[in-house]
Amino acid sequence: MTRHAELVALSAAQKVLKRKRLQDCTLYSTVEPCPMCSFASREARIGRVVFALSSPVMGGYSKWDVLKDDDLSNKLPEVFGPPPEIVSGLLAAQAEQVWSQWNPLAWRFIKRRGCFGSAADLSERYAAAPRRILSWAALTAFLAAPALAVSKAFLRSRADSKPMTKFDSQPDS
């Protein structure tokens, strides 16, 4: 999970350019960088971040405010650079098409949950976090109920029956 494309790209750029600060560079991504990648971008002092699809659930710009937070560079100027220029929505329609062609079912799920896309694309129904219909404990109890019922019935029938005699280790002749 720590080898996100943005981290790989930042690391490669630092190696090729032989420097840690990338203030004159642009980071391109299909989906808005997550908070981890956003912090790395701020630490590398990236000059511009460009992405096609926002991530209102997990994004380091639209959800967690990492990419646009001036306070980071004000409080820790030794670590974090100024907020980068942000360009969102570049080739968004094409990015959505690629996602939907790659895995139509996954794309419908992602869109319906509001994980990717613009915040304006989210309907009222999916603006809030989805609620679990059934808790794990209730699901476990529901699935285990038939097995427990059979076990209890078996134990009751055994209690009503005669005790089992020990089997001889040698067969009858």
Side-chain angles (χ1 to χ4, degrees):
M1 292 294 189
T2 60
R3 297 304 290 167
H4 290 199
E6 295 90 338
L7 296 179
V8 173
L10 290 170
S11 180
Q14 289 171 330
K15 285 178 184 169
V16 167
L17 297 172
K18 295 182 171 79
R19 57 188 166 104
K20 288 186 177 185
R21 294 186 178 192
L22 305 172
Q23 64 273 11
D24 57 341
C25 297
T26 301
L27 176 66
Y28 291 92
S29 181
T30 306
V31 179
E32 174 183 348
C34 71
M36 177 178 67
C37 296
S38 297
F39 276 114
S41 298
R42 290 293 300 271
E43 191 173 344
R45 300 174 188 270
I46 199 84
R48 182 183 304 127
V49 176
V50 178
F51 55 88
L53 304 172
S54 66
S55 181
V57 174
M58 304 171 283
Y61 176 70
S62 59
K63 173 70 176 182
W64 299 108
D65 195 30
V66 176
L67 288 174
K68 59 186 173 182
D69 185 8
D70 273 323
D71 207 30
L72 277 174
S73 48
N74 291 340
K75 298 244 184 205
L76 297 166
E78 305 82 11
V79 179
F80 298 110
E85 176 188 350
I86 303 294
V87 178
S88 64
L90 181 70
L91 302 173
Q94 292 86 340
E96 286 188 9
Q97 185 178 13
V98 168
W99 267 93
S100 67
Q101 288 173 350
W102 172 69
N103 191 328
L105 182 61
W107 178 245
R108 280 197 303 269
F109 177 81
I110 288 167
K111 281 296 278 186
R112 189 173 186 132
R113 290 280 174 102
C115 296
F116 296 161
S118 69
D121 287 345
L122 296 176
S123 66
E124 292 279 329
R125 182 173 174 199
Y126 299 105
R131 295 182 184 146
R132 289 186 306 195
I133 296 171
L134 197 61
S135 71
W136 283 112
L139 180 62
T140 304
F142 174 75
L143 294 174
L148 291 174
V150 169
S151 296
K152 287 178 184 175
F154 177 75
L155 291 174
R156 274 195 304 273
S157 70
R158 296 246 323 150
D160 296 338
S161 67
K162 295 179 189 174
M164 291 180 73
T165 59
K166 281 191 166 185
F167 289 105
D168 290 333
S169 57
Q170 298 187 5
D172 291 338
S173 333

